[in-house]
């Protein structure tokens, strides 16, 4: 890697950072490798509050790991109560802005009260440790409070992103076996109401739950079903302000979060309390270099893992002031985010490359109209960041003063695993740089042998880490197959990567049938299954197509049942259909009707060829097993005509 592409930390930044030099970084990595028990034990003692100490630091019965076994703690207590005995009591925990412009500043003491009251509501409805609840809410402080109230009681939550459709919500409620759904009448997005309650009603037409608790957010009328639906504010009228935090086992499942895998069925990723909380808290210091005076803004929705780990659990456990914004970045105009940074004096800003590219496209005048001098650190997550977006982020947003931490991780990893420690590690635009201490990442071939530096291979993690997923809900076999069987004794990430001569990691994208659209994970099979449920569709094959803004876009090849002619109206109908089956963010950018799909002689769709058609417009690889080569030639020709 050429010297001019290295961005070492400035002396000023390094001198105040938690980790100040590469030597310190190396010492931590060495200690984690040589004495893992001591290493993690010291951190668990320092970073978390425990009701009871653990008896064992970790137990590893591949593929199942347990951390801090025998210990008792509570995530909600760690995020709230422990801050109340000192100056953080009156510090803003959440600084919230609604899309229409309302603001709320909620101190740690106030958030604690909100959470206790709502925990008492849940208790009053009969919920207790071991039960499960689904949260389907807009980005309002009550969404974080609902998560923390569940955590307080030991109720395992599953937050479903508000952009998911009723169908997707239903599948998640069902898989969770949840008896309680927490939602709102709606939320604001681009000046319109997102009809969350209506989606819950639709999801529950063939599914029974005991309670639906509805927050009044927009105030527009929604039907309430007697005996099932309850207003949050009405249930809250008769509860106390205090609710003790339940001492829970370290391994108690804190939450389940659904994510896309290679098949059509999303996986319920299970996270355990202690290990998850430890690594999310720790990365607030290691990666975001958090100090008490910082104002931290992660723009992710709480429905994604980034929102769980870096809007709620990590920053609140670390005692940060968190900015939370309900709506779209471009509403009412393209400077909404920059205006929030200016007005709230945001010092650490964390977002996705897709958002950066979309805002970059609007030109510099939007950020330049605002005072962004409060920023001191920038972060990127969810997809590789291309050099042009990196440069713009660095120069125009960070004014060349703020390091950019490019953070690699996954729903499954719980917390950031590969990232610069910004006071210690020189940056290279486009590289997530180095694994954090305790993370044994490697690039290997399918036999598990490391590939030489500079060569592409599979990214694996060699040993368990505290915040790793524990299993897939209701499907431990799939957990073993997906993550621990591809490469011996290693966690298989599903990503390709290469390491350069300095050992820096460059993430090259997924090696499976997962595509990454705007940093959102989608399974090609999930979209295909949605398409073939439409009465006009015979077969569908979905691939990711490179997109200037969203990284990848959904491109669907569709064959129709006899008697259906392809027409523009049908393409629009199918896009809408996918929005209905999964959510708007999964809508194909392009639908291409074709007479047949390229298949192997055994009948498997050759997605690789379709990928080549949409990326390079030509087919170069081996096509000897193709059943009908003319199909490919026709598809490629069709592309050239467009
Ligand atoms: O392909 C990698 C990509 O996002 C995938 C994980 O997606 P998800 O579970 O939805 O979590 C996203 C937010 C943590 C990974 O397998 N990915 C994530 N971060 C990066 C990335 N690709 C490149 N660079 C990153 N920094």
């Amino acid at each position: 890697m050429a010297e001019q592409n290295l961005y070492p930390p400035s002396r000023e930044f390094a001198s105040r950072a938690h980790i100040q030099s590469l030597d310190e970084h190396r010492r931590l990595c060495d200690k984690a490798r040589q004495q893992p028990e001591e290493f993690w034990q010291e951190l668990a003692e320092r970073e978390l509050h425990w009701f009871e100490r653990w008896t064992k630091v970790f137990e590893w019965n591949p593929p199942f790991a347990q951390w801090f076994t025998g210990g008792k703690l509570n995530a909600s207590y760690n995020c709230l109560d422990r801050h109340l005995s000192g100056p953080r009591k009156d510090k803003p925990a959440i600084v919230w802005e609604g899309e229409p412009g309302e603001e709320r500043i909620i101190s740690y003491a106030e958030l604690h009260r909100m959470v206790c009251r709502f925990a008492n509501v849940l208790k009053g409805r009969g919920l207790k440790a071991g039960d499960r609840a689904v949260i389907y809410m807009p980005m309002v402080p009550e969404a974080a409070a609902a998560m923390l109230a569940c955590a307080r009681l030991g109720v395992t939550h599953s937050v479903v992103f508000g952009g998911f459709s009723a169908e997707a919500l239903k599948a998640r409620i069902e898989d969770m076996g949840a008896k309680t759904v927490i939602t709102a009448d709606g939320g604001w997005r681009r000046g319109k109401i997102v009809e969350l309650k209506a989606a819950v009603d639709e999801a529950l037409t063939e599914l029974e739950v005991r309670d639906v608790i509805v927050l009044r957010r927009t105030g527009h009328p929604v039907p309430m079903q007697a005996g099932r639906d309850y207003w949050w504010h009405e249930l809250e009228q008769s509860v106390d302000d205090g609710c003790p935090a339940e001492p829970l086992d370290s391994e108690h499942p804190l939450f389940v979060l659904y994510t896309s895998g290679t098949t059509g069925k999303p996986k319920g990723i299970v996270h355990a309390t202690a290990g998850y909380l430890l690594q999310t808290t720790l990365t607030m210091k290691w990666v975001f270099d958090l100090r008490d005076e910082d104002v931290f803004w992660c723009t992710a929705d709480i429905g994604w893992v980034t929102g769980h780990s870096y809007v709620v659990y990590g920053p609140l456990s670390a005692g940060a002031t968190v900015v939370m914004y309900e709506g779209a970045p471009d509403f009412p105009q393209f400077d909404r985010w920059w205006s929030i940074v200016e007005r709230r004096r945001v010092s650490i800003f964390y977002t996705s490359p897709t958002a950066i590219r979309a805002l970059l496209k609007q030109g510099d005048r939007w950020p330049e109209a605002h005072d962004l001098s409060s920023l001191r650190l920038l972060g990127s997550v969810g997809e590789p960041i291309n050099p042009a977006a990196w440069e713009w982020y660095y120069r125009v947003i960070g004014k060349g003063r703020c390091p950019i931490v490019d953070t690699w991780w996954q729903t499954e990893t719980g917390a950031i695993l590969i990232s610069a420690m910004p006071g210690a590690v020189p940056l290279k635009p486009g590289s997530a740089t180095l694994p954090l201490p305790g993370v044994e990442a490697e690039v290997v071939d399918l036999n598990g042998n490391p590939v030489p530096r500079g060569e592409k291979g599979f990214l694996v993690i060699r040993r368990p880490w505290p915040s790793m997923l524990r299993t897939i809900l209701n499907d431990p076999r799939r957990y073993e197959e997906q993550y621990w069987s591809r490469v011996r004794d290693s966690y298989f990430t599903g990503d390709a990567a290469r390491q350069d001569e300095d050992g820096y990691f460059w993430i090259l994208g997924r090696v499976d049938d997962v595509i990454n659209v705007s940093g959102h994970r989608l399974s090609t099979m999930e979209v295909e299954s949605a398409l073939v449920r439409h009465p006009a569709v015979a077969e569908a094959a979905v691939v990711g197509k490179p997109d200037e803004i969203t990284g990848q876009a959904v491109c669907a090849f569709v064959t129709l049942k006899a008697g259906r002619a392809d027409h523009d109206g049908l393409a629009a109908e199918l896009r809408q259909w996918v929005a209905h089956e999964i959510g708007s963010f999964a809508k194909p950018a392009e639908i291409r009707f074709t007479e047949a799909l390229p298949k192997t002689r055994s009948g498997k769709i050759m997605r690789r060829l379709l990928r080549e058609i949409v990326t390079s417009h030509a087919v170069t690889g081996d096509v000897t097993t193709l059943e009908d080569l003319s199909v490919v030639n026709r598809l490629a020709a069709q592309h050239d005509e467009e």
Side-chain angles (χ1 to χ4, degrees), residues 147-181:
M147 293 164 75
L148 292 167
C150 287
R152 201 160 185 87
L153 302 178
V155 172
T156 302
H157 61 69
S158 186
V159 182
V160 178
F161 169 54
F164 273 113
S165 69
E167 280 298 318
L169 174 65
K170 178 184 166 199
R172 285 155 176 78
I173 299 172
E174 216 165 13
D175 194 63
M176 271 297 274
K179 289 280 162 261
T180 306
V181 177

Side-chain angles (χ1 to χ4, degrees), residues 259 304-306 350 380-385 406-412 418 432 493-495 507-510 516 519-521:
T259 190
W304 305 110
V305 75
T306 311
Y350 187 36
S380 167
V381 61
E383 23 167 354
I385 180 163
D406 177 353
T407 63
W408 177 88
W409 59 297
Q410 309 177 297
T411 306
E412 293 88 339
I418 306 181
T493 63
D495 278 329
I507 311 296
L508 304 170
R510 303 285 307 192
N516 194 327
H520 297 155
R521 226 163 115 171

